[in-house]
Amino acid sequence: MAKTEILVEHRPPGTTMEPQGFLINERYVNLIVVSTDQFRQRPQNELIQTGVKHEECLKETKSRLEHISPNKLFRWNHQSQCVPHAVMVSGVPGIGKTTLMQKFVYDWVTGKHYQRFAFVFFFRFRDLNRLGEVSLEEMILYQYPYLESQIGNILQYPERLLFIFDGLDESIHQINFRLSKLSNPKQRSDFGENVVSLARQSLLKGCSVLITSRPTRLASIDTGVFQRITEIMGFLHGDRLVFFKNFFGNDEVSEKAFDYVQENDTLYTFCYIPSYCWIICTVLSMCFRAQPTNTDQLMASLPKTVTQLFVTFVSNILANHSQNKDGGTTRELLTSMGWMAEHGVINHMTVFDERHLDSFNVRNDKHLFSCFMMESGHHPDVDYTFLHLTLQEFFAALVYFMNYDADKLQETFVGARHFNDGRAEIFFCFLCGLSDSSTRSMLKSHVGELSTQAARHIITWIQEKIAEQRPEKSTRDKRELINAFYCLHESRNKALVEQCFKSKKVDLFGVPLSPLDCSVLSFIIQSCRETEEVYIASCNIQGEGLKKLIPALQTIKSLSLSNNYLTDSSCPHLASGIRNNQTLRTLDLSWNNLEGSHFSVLMTALTTSHIKELLLSYNHLTDNSCADLASGIRNNQTLRTLNLSENNLEGPHFCDLMAALTTSQIEELYLANNVLTDSSCPHLASGIRNNKALKRLDLSKNNPEGPHFRDLMAALATSQIKELSLYNNDLSDSSCPHLALGIKNNQTLRTLDLSENNLEGPHFRDLMETLTTSQIEELHLSYNHLTDSSCPHLASGIRNNKTLRTLDLSWNNLKGSQFSDLMEALTTSQIKELQ
């Protein structure tokens, strides 16, 4: 119990303050743990990837995803339909896997859960790495030597035993969970065989096994042996605030710090990780102490990127260390540690031992060294890890500026092409972040000059990396481009961004974008004055992501946000973007769900915009939205194309929309599949009759057949419409006289689509007769159940029409004795294309 009841919190490194211990029940902050099986090769760094998933998973946790509290890990699992005996808990570095295990054991010790276990054995893979061939009994006694006289009796009741193995990713062996060879606890093998045999139940059948690991390691193993797989998603929003309050111990200061972090998308995104929260709080506390009263200087000193966060973190440690120097140079130690860190990043290594320290000439001075590295074990079996994986990645990047080696850096860049797991993404971000001279300057007084040649080399590399990207190729290529954008974002160099990314179009179609991705993309777009088109359809950006993007869209000419799960609550953000952009000409909002009380805000913004093309198809808009649409259209004199297809606009307010059409300059109106019936025809007629700008009208997939259809066709006669689509409108032979009326008196109509109706019948002749005096150039009559008996009428219309160039008669049944009449008429027609 003594080992688990105290939660140790590190104090700011480099200070003389000792680590503080707190009762775990007083300081432990709940972590979100969800059931998952999504382990795969990840194209993005796992910290970023999990941050990307975090908000989405938190939403799903409330509904679809199963929220697993520690006391439920070994309860019935609905997915595997059993009570699990082997459970995997995964999580990115610093997320709290070990702390969760500590809390799990503490709650068992204090009788809160799992009293069916008589013994809980806790092992760390980094400790097991030191063992050679060993039996299970020897493994247990290595960790718990005081059990030697009882071990035989203990292992006779495996169902009362729980084995916890922490840190699979730190194992130096590749463990194959597909095969188990051991069945006897006295049989010797490597420790991995013991772990696998316990999990697969060939050894101590009935025991329970709990293993923790980073997600990247799980992508390469067979996880089928586990009946429950969970992932720690970290802190909820409220839990982050609790952490800040616990750290600072002062509500005013903690809220001030938290508000600052919350406004910085990059820092806040990483705050789901407890260890990142600690680093951020540590840095902010350092800044607050340095500038307790001067607000302007304080704001200038606060970190704005992850690179600046770690530069400040390291700078403050070095500043404290300079007051307690114990020989040797800081630069030498950081350089040797940096090369060791770089070796670890490139080779997926986070645990180091004395051999690594000797190999890289790392001097363990017990003061500065211990500020950055944690030591565990007892001599001679001691190993070391950096305080956090990201600190290791930072030093791996910093070393190239302290000890620039052009060939080695280029070799690293070339080798990174083959990394498919995102291991080097944050490392590269740090390289780019340190290429900024103002960021580097914070370290100068502690480590001396940092290489400008390295900065130039890195800038050349990022330019080449972006130039290589071909976003049109695949989603993976586009994800690579976003990763490059992250690097540019860390540099904070807008001139470099503009120099690197000169494309007029940003196309990220189909790539899921998190709010953080959107924040980074916003910085890129704002830095590139040449960008005119932004195509981010099907990117799942939702409202939060849109909010991050809006400031960047003030000079864009064409914006596609289709299929992004945007709702009514996104309309104020969209309105703000439209209102502040006088260059926007095309806005695609199709395949969203904008119906609601805030839709009016968007339409109000439309009145002052210069948009020419607005696409709102598939937005679940109903008759209730017609008044707002009318308001937007009525007062906008630039709108030329409006697509409202695939909505549900039929109703009493549809007349408002059509009334507004009469004063607009709209040339193309799409109303396909809007459940419009015969009762909407008078309103349509009114809109068409009084609008001389309308050239194209799409009414396909509606149902206008009825007595009022005549009103619509009468209005067509006086309109300026050139293209009319009545495709799939359930029109029958009885509508032909009305169609004939509209066509006969309209001299502007050039394209008429009557496909997928049922026009066969005695009145079809009326329609064909009017064809002879029309100016129609393109006529579509496919899928109309036309038979041989319609051929003479078709022949009459074709023979006497000198403008028709395209005729589509496909999917009918024209074969018969009168088909020859149609073919004979074809010989004197002007038709160029016949289907």
Side-chain angles (χ1 to χ4, degrees):
M1 180 170 173
K3 290 183 177 180
T4 58
E5 70 176 343
I6 301 299
L7 188 62
V8 177
E9 181 184 276
H10 294 285
R11 301 311 299 166
T15 68
T16 57
M17 301 170 70
E18 292 295 321
Q20 281 192 286
F22 301 90
L23 292 176
I24 192 167
N25 273 349
E26 294 177 1
R27 204 60 173 244
Y28 182 81
V29 179
N30 285 326
L31 297 164
I32 285 291
V33 184
V34 298
S35 180
T36 184
D37 58 0
Q38 297 178 354
F39 301 115
R40 58 193 179 279
Q41 290 299 104
R42 300 183 175 200
Q44 197 176 16
N45 181 279
E46 58 187 331
L47 298 185
I48 299 174
Q49 176 116 349
T50 305
V52 165
K53 290 166 51 186
H54 191 260
E55 296 302 325
E56 180 180 341
C57 279
L58 293 186
K59 292 172 186 173
E60 291 185 357
T61 299
K62 298 171 185 175
S63 55
R64 186 174 63 83
L65 287 180
E66 184 183 5
H67 183 182
I68 310 292
S69 55
N71 66 340
K72 293 180 180 177
L73 287 172
F74 287 96
R75 290 189 184 175
W76 175 267
N77 183 7
H78 294 286
Q79 291 180 339
S80 60
Q81 289 292 296
C82 68
V83 175
H85 61 77
V87 174
M88 173 61 73
V89 175
S90 77
V92 298
I95 195 78
K97 299 184 291 296
T98 300
T99 304
L100 179 66
M101 293 302 102
Q102 180 181 339
K103 184 69 163 62
F104 182 96
V105 175
Y106 177 77
D107 287 347
W108 169 73
V109 169
T110 54
K112 287 187 177 179
H113 62 199
Y114 296 120
Q115 295 307 290
R116 63 187 173 94
F117 295 130
F119 292 90
V120 174
F121 299 112
F122 185 93
F123 300 92
R124 296 190 311 164
F125 277 99
R126 68 165 64 174
D127 297 329
L128 297 177
N129 286 336
R130 305 184 184 109
L131 303 179
E133 287 204 344
V134 64
S135 69
L136 178 61
E137 277 193 4
E138 291 169 334
M139 270 177 60
I140 295 173
L141 295 177
Y142 172 78
Q143 193 83 1
Y144 305 96
Y146 51 84
L147 294 177
E148 185 171 7
S149 62
Q150 309 170 53
I151 191 67
N153 290 331
I154 291 171
L155 299 184
Q156 286 182 10
Y157 304 98
E159 67 280 354
R160 302 191 66 191
L161 305 180
L162 170 62
F163 293 88
I164 299 177
F165 297 97
D166 188 29
L168 173 64
D169 50 282
E170 294 180 343
S171 171
I172 59 175
H173 300 296
Q174 283 294 331
I175 298 178
N176 182 2
F177 281 91
R178 292 179 183 275
L179 301 172
S180 56
K181 301 176 182 177
L182 305 181
S183 57
N184 187 336
K186 295 182 180 294
Q187 188 177 350
R188 304 190 90 192
S189 184
D190 66 70
F191 71 83
E193 288 287 348
N194 283 282
V195 174
V196 171
S197 298
L198 287 170
R200 297 193 67 86
Q201 298 281 284
S202 65
L203 182 61
L204 297 187
K205 183 176 177 60
C207 74
S208 298
V209 178
L210 179 58
I211 299 178
T212 73
S213 176
R214 285 168 57 185
T216 49
R217 185 64 177 264
L218 297 191
S220 59
I221 69 170
D222 176 21
T223 56
V225 66
F226 301 102
Q227 293 82 44
R228 170 170 277 138
I229 301 175
T230 64
E231 183 166 9
I232 303 176
M233 297 306 298
F235 285 155
L236 288 165
H237 173 84
D239 298 326
R240 300 177 198 188
L241 181 56
V242 169
F243 187 99
F244 273 63
K245 287 184 176 180
N246 285 342
F247 183 94
F248 288 99
N250 179 302
D251 285 349
E252 183 181 350
V253 176
S254 62
E255 287 177 14
K256 180 180 177 182
F258 189 73
D259 288 345
Y260 174 77
V261 171
Q262 200 172 358
E263 289 172 5
N264 185 302
D265 297 326
T266 306
L267 299 184
Y268 186 71
T269 296
F270 282 107
C271 259
Y272 74 92
I273 305 171
S275 63
Y276 250 101
C277 269
W278 178 80
I279 290 172
I280 290 170
C281 288
T282 299
V283 169
L284 293 182
S285 67
M286 293 169 174
C287 295
F288 291 158
R289 284 200 305 272
Q291 302 288 347
T293 56
N294 192 319
T295 304
D296 291 340
Q297 288 185 8
L298 172 62
M299 294 308 294
S301 70
L302 295 178
K304 299 177 179 56
T305 66
V306 177
T307 306
Q308 290 177 2
L309 175 71
F310 279 87
V311 164
T312 308
F313 182 70
V314 171
S315 295
N316 278 278
I317 292 172
L318 297 178
N320 287 318
H321 170 69
S322 66
Q323 303 167 13
N324 302 281
K325 285 185 177 176
D326 55 356
T329 68
T330 298
R331 189 181 181 104
E332 286 177 3
L333 177 60
L334 295 188
T335 299
S336 57
M337 285 174 58
W339 286 125
M340 184 172 74
E342 192 263 2
H343 174 77
V345 169
I346 300 304
N347 294 283
H348 255 324
M349 184 185 299
T350 58
V351 181
F352 306 92
D353 56 30
E354 292 289 351
R355 291 171 299 172
H356 294 108
L357 267 62
D358 292 341
S359 175
F360 290 97
N361 298 312
V362 178
R363 179 175 49 84
N364 185 349
D365 66 1
K366 298 298 183 183
H367 184 70
L368 182 58
F369 176 86
S370 63
C371 291
F372 300 118
M373 302 211 64
M374 294 185 294
E375 181 179 313
S376 63
H378 303 284
H379 186 77
D381 297 321
V382 180
D383 55 39
Y384 307 91
T385 55
F386 285 86
L387 285 181
H388 191 277
L389 171 62
T390 314
L391 183 63
Q392 177 182 337
E393 292 168 314
F394 175 77
F395 278 124
L398 179 62
V399 72
Y400 281 103
F401 290 86
M402 293 190 296
N403 186 14
Y404 174 55
D405 183 331
D407 293 338
K408 187 169 178 59
L409 182 54
Q410 189 59 34
E411 182 182 323
T412 299
F413 287 146
V414 172
R417 295 174 184 272
H418 306 294
F419 297 158
N420 295 319
D421 53 12
R423 76 180 77 166
E425 290 303 329
I426 289 183
F427 164 63
F428 286 147
C429 282
F430 281 140
L431 285 174
C432 291
L434 289 167
S435 71
D436 176 50
S437 58
S438 62
T439 300
R440 289 199 309 275
S441 66
M442 299 171 65
L443 289 165
K444 184 177 177 181
S445 61
H446 306 297
V447 299
E449 291 291 340
L450 296 175
S451 173
T452 55
Q453 288 177 291
R456 285 194 292 268
H457 191 157
I458 291 161
I459 289 171
T460 300
W461 167 76
I462 193 68
Q463 288 173 328
E464 293 172 352
K465 182 177 174 70
I466 290 178
E468 289 172 2
Q469 301 305 324
R470 297 187 179 92
E472 72 278 3
K473 287 289 185 180
S474 68
T475 299
R476 183 179 180 82
D477 289 333
K478 294 173 184 177
R479 187 71 249 178
E480 283 294 315
L481 181 61
I482 294 170
N483 291 342
F485 286 166
Y486 269 87
C487 292
L488 287 173
H489 179 258
E490 277 297 309
S491 76
R492 306 305 293 174
N493 188 335
K494 291 191 174 185
L496 175 61
V497 176
E498 191 169 16
Q499 189 178 352
C500 288
F501 191 72
K502 296 181 179 179
S503 174
K504 291 183 180 295
K505 182 177 182 179
V506 175
D507 180 2
L508 296 173
F509 172 80
V511 182
L513 298 178
S514 70
L516 180 57
D517 291 334
C518 291
S519 183
V520 170
L521 182 58
S522 180
F523 171 77
I524 298 297
I525 295 172
Q526 288 182 77
S527 303
C528 298
R529 288 172 291 184
E530 293 185 16
T531 303
E532 296 180 352
E533 297 179 55
V534 176
Y535 190 53
I536 44 178
S538 301
C539 292
N540 194 23
I541 65 171
Q542 303 186 44
E544 188 62 27
L546 177 65
K547 186 178 177 181
K548 310 295 183 188
L549 279 169
I550 289 301
L553 305 179
Q554 294 184 9
T555 59
I556 300 302
K557 293 182 179 178
S558 178
L559 175 62
S560 175
L561 290 165
S562 67
N563 196 20
N564 268 302
Y565 301 97
L566 301 178
T567 64
D568 154 63
S569 61
S570 300
C571 287
H573 304 313
L574 288 166
S576 172
I578 292 173
R579 197 179 295 115
N580 296 313
N581 184 328
Q582 295 303 303
T583 62
L584 190 64
R585 297 295 179 266
T586 299
L587 178 60
D588 183 357
L589 295 171
S590 53
W591 291 91
N592 287 295
N593 187 9
L594 300 180
E595 168 89 8
S597 58
H598 296 297
F599 184 64
S600 61
V601 181
L602 175 60
M603 290 298 100
T604 300
L606 180 64
T607 62
T608 59
S609 78
H610 288 77
I611 291 174
K612 289 186 174 182
E613 183 176 4
L614 178 61
L615 310 182
L616 289 167
S617 60
Y618 291 95
N619 258 287
H620 305 283
L621 299 178
T622 67
D623 164 64
N624 294 329
S625 295
C626 285
D628 299 326
L629 284 164
S631 173
I633 293 170
R634 187 181 299 113
N635 299 307
N636 182 303
Q637 294 303 301
T638 61
L639 193 63
R640 296 293 181 268
T641 299
L642 178 62
N643 191 337
L644 294 169
S645 296
E646 307 291 340
N647 287 293
N648 187 7
L649 301 179
E650 168 86 12
H653 298 296
F654 183 65
C655 63
D656 298 335
L657 176 60
M658 290 299 100
L661 182 64
T662 62
T663 60
S664 78
Q665 298 298 311
I666 290 176
E667 296 175 359
E668 296 184 33
L669 179 62
Y670 298 84
L671 290 167
N673 202 12
N674 261 286
V675 204
L676 300 178
T677 64
D678 164 64
S679 61
S680 293
C681 286
H683 309 313
L684 284 163
S686 173
I688 293 171
R689 186 182 299 112
N690 299 305
N691 182 307
K692 300 307 179 185
L694 194 64
K695 300 295 184 288
R696 178 170 183 169
L697 178 62
D698 183 357
L699 294 171
S700 55
K701 297 184 182 179
N702 287 293
N703 189 13
E705 171 110 334
H708 297 297
F709 183 62
R710 178 187 178 96
D711 299 337
L712 175 59
M713 289 299 100
L716 176 65
T718 60
S719 76
Q720 301 295 309
I721 290 175
K722 290 184 175 181
E723 187 173 344
L724 176 64
S725 177
L726 293 168
Y727 156 85
N728 195 6
N729 265 280
D730 293 318
L731 299 177
S732 66
D733 161 63
S734 62
S735 293
C736 286
H738 308 316
L739 286 164
L741 173 68
I743 295 170
K744 185 186 298 170
N745 298 309
N746 183 306
Q747 294 302 300
T748 61
L749 193 63
R750 296 294 181 268
T751 300
L752 177 61
D753 188 352
L754 293 169
S755 301
E756 295 211 31
N757 287 292
N758 188 10
L759 301 180
E760 169 84 9
H763 297 296
F764 183 64
R765 175 175 185 162
D766 299 337
L767 176 60
M768 289 299 99
E769 278 183 7
T770 59
L771 184 63
T772 62
T773 59
S774 77
Q775 300 295 309
I776 290 176
E777 298 174 357
E778 190 174 336
L779 179 62
H780 297 268
L781 289 166
S782 62
Y783 288 97
N784 260 286
H785 306 282
L786 299 178
T787 65
D788 163 61
S789 61
S790 293
C791 286
H793 309 315
L794 284 164
S796 172
I798 293 170
R799 187 180 297 116
N800 297 304
N801 181 301
K802 301 306 180 185
T803 61
L804 195 62
R805 298 293 181 269
T806 299
L807 178 61
D808 183 2
L809 293 170
S810 54
W811 296 95
N812 286 293
N813 188 14
L814 301 178
K815 184 174 181 179
S817 58
Q818 299 181 83
F819 183 65
S820 59
D821 296 343
L822 174 59
M823 291 299 100
E824 184 180 336
L826 184 64
T827 61
T828 60
S829 76
Q830 301 295 311
I831 290 175
K832 292 184 175 181
E833 183 180 352
L834 176 65
Q835 297 183 33

